[in-house]
């Protein structure tokens, strides 16, 4: 199995600014302010609006040239919607998206066409994102046709160069998608995204649909392409180990909001939001010396609240073991609690308590169970792995500790 290459960011400490507060660094290539996306719920023949799914509800962050921002969170927290909003595949309900200083929030399709050269997306499903009726050459050459660009040496030569760049043979030009494995199809998707030399690439869980044995190969390919082409990445994933290897900074999302944003070293060594701590506690440690020992895994009880009617105050308070009355009524702002480390919590971990006078409610304590389990216990009683805890604990009663 291929090992993941260790990413060594050039500016790990200086990249911690979320809103451009680090004036010494380069100007952000992407700046998002108060981004909102609500999907209306309609009823009846007249399509009367009766509610809305609050998929993304007030995101603010920026991405600097050459860096990789990782985005993690549970299934349904709005990660993929956020990716489609910043690439303008979806129309935002509110907020602002700026690319290289230009407001692209509500540009028309015609005005967006030139911008598409600089912002591209790699989709999650390598099977569904390729047209089975088209050859690989036709698929990868589509961006050139849409933009009216004639590469030097011709389209076919450029497509074959791109295929070789992502580790495929130029001879695959006339083959069809069904003739390739999942990993090879994802490489084709990467080649298509890189056809127009983009500056920003949004990768929506690029390895989650692939076999574990080839995930590291695709991750290493993305890392090598970033070094070679000077790309900027926003990588959406649920695998915390993958995010740790590829990201300079990491944003943790919960129910449509960013609850923590920090460089990867700070986030993994000193998480501040209780939700982040719960996610990290679920990552398995393959250390034989710890076999039979106690663990500090945190099992969150209860389902993720519905984005149709999210809880008041802090959205995590229904599952948080530190929640107080203020958490139920007042939404905590995303503020900097340490250099380059932001969290939205009234009672953060590894940081001064923002509301020290509030006492922990007894009801909130009963929403979480601190598990001290050994590997010899029944599989059904075991806590969720890092994959399951970050991606789908809401539906699986065993992975959430719900009985």
């Amino acid at each position: 199995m291929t090992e993941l290459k260790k990413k060594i960011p050039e500016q790990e400490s200086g990249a911690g600014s979320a809103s451009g507060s680090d004036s010494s660094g380069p100007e952000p290539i992407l700046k998002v302010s108060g981004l909102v996306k609500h999907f209306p719920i309609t009823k009846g023949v007249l399509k009367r609006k009766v509610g809305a799914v609050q998929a993304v509800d007030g995101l603010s962050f920026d991405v600097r040239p050459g860096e990789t921002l990782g985005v993690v969170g549970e299934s349904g927290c709005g990660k993929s919607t956020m990716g489609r909003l910043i690439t303008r595949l979806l129309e935002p309900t509110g907020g602002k998206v700026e690319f290289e200083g230009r407001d692209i929030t509500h540009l028309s399709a015609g005005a967006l066409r030139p911008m598409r050269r600089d912002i591209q997306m790699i989709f999650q499903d390598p099977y569904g994102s390729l047209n089975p009726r088209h050859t690989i050459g036709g698929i990868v050459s589509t961006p050139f046709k849409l933009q009216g660009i004639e590469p030097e040496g011709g389209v076919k030569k450029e497509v074959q160069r791109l295929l070789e760049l992502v580790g495929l043979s130029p001879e695959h030009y006339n083959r069809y998608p069904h003739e390739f494995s999942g990993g090879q199809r994802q490489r084709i998707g990467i080649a298509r995204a890189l056809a127009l030399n983009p500056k920003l690439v949004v990768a929506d869980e690029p390895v989650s649909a692939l076999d574990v044995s080839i995930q590291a190969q695709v991750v290493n390919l993305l890392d090598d392409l970033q070094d070679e082409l000077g790309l900027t990445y926003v990588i959406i994933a649920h695998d915390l180990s993958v995010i740790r290897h590829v990201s300079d900074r990491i944003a943790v999302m919960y129910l449509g909001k960013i609850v923590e944003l920090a460089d990867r070293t700070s986030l993994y060594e000193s998480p501040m939001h209780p939700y982040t701590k719960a996610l990290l506690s679920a990552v398995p440690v393959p250390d034989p010396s710890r076999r039979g020992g106690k663990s500090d895994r945190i099992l969150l009880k209860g389902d993720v609240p519905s984005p149709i009617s999210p809880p008041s105050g802090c959205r995590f308070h229904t599952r948080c073991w530190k929640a107080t009355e203020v958490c139920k009524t007042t939404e905590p702002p995303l503020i900097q609690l340490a250099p380059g480390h932001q969290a939205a919590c009234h009672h953060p971990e590894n940081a001064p308590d923002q509301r020290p006078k509030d006492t922990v409610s007894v009801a909130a304590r009963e929403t979480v169970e601190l598990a001290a389990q050994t590997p010899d216990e029944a599989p059904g009683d075991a806590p969720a792995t890092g994959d399951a805890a970050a991606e789908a604990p809401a539906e699986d009663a065993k992975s959430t500790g719900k009985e």
Side-chain angles (χ1 to χ4, degrees), residues 323-343:
T324 64
E325 292 302 321
V326 70
C327 300
K328 299 178 181 179
T329 58
T330 306
E331 181 180 342
L334 183 66
I335 59 175
Q336 183 166 290
L337 301 178
H341 198 141
Q342 296 184 316

Side-chain angles (χ1 to χ4, degrees), residues 8-202:
I8 304 176
E10 298 177 359
Q11 288 183 304
E12 191 153 279
S13 60
S17 170
S19 304
S21 59
D22 182 10
S23 57
S24 61
E27 285 297 316
I29 188 173
L30 176 72
K31 189 172 183 179
V32 176
S33 305
L35 190 63
V36 175
K37 180 61 179 178
H38 292 175
F39 294 97
I41 301 173
T42 59
K43 184 178 181 180
V45 179
L46 300 178
K47 302 295 182 181
R48 181 170 54 90
K49 182 179 178 181
V50 296
V53 177
Q54 302 177 29
V56 171
D57 198 19
L59 300 186
S60 297
F61 61 91
D62 61 31
V63 184
R64 299 190 179 277
E67 81 165 337
T68 300
L69 176 69
V71 182
V72 297
E74 290 175 296
S75 178
C77 71
K79 305 186 302 297
S80 295
T81 301
M82 180 270 294
R84 284 164 169 76
L85 288 171
I86 62 179
T87 55
R88 282 302 321 278
L89 297 179
L90 287 176
E91 181 76 14
T93 304
K96 180 186 288 188
V97 179
E98 296 178 79
F99 180 72
E100 293 187 322
R102 181 188 181 190
D103 188 352
I104 64 171
T105 313
H106 299 293
L107 289 183
S108 64
L112 279 172
R113 187 177 294 275
M115 186 272 299
R116 296 290 184 197
R117 305 180 186 181
D118 295 327
I119 303 179
Q120 288 292 316
M121 191 165 187
I122 300 171
F123 296 94
Q124 176 179 358
D125 184 8
Y127 300 92
S129 61
L130 303 179
N131 192 326
R133 294 182 176 88
H134 292 180
T135 64
I136 301 309
I139 291 172
V140 180
S141 64
T142 299
F144 298 112
K145 298 176 182 177
L146 292 176
Q147 293 288 339
I149 296 175
E150 181 67 26
E152 184 178 352
V155 173
K156 182 175 181 179
K157 183 178 180 181
E158 179 64 14
V159 169
Q160 290 178 328
R161 184 191 71 84
L162 289 167
L163 293 177
E164 195 170 7
L165 182 67
V166 298
L168 297 175
S169 171
E171 299 175 356
H172 293 160
Y173 184 87
N174 290 318
R175 294 188 182 182
Y176 288 85
H178 73 269
E179 301 179 62
F180 295 88
S181 66
Q184 289 174 320
R185 294 187 198 189
Q186 194 62 288
R187 290 172 186 266
I188 295 166
I190 294 172
R192 178 177 58 185
L194 298 179
L196 300 174
N197 296 317
K199 298 176 182 177
L200 174 67
V201 176
V202 178

Side-chain angles (χ1 to χ4, degrees), residues 219-232:
V219 169
N220 290 337
L221 171 64
L222 292 172
D223 201 20
D224 292 339
L225 292 172
Q226 183 178 38
D227 294 337
E228 184 176 346
L229 304 177
L231 300 172
T232 302

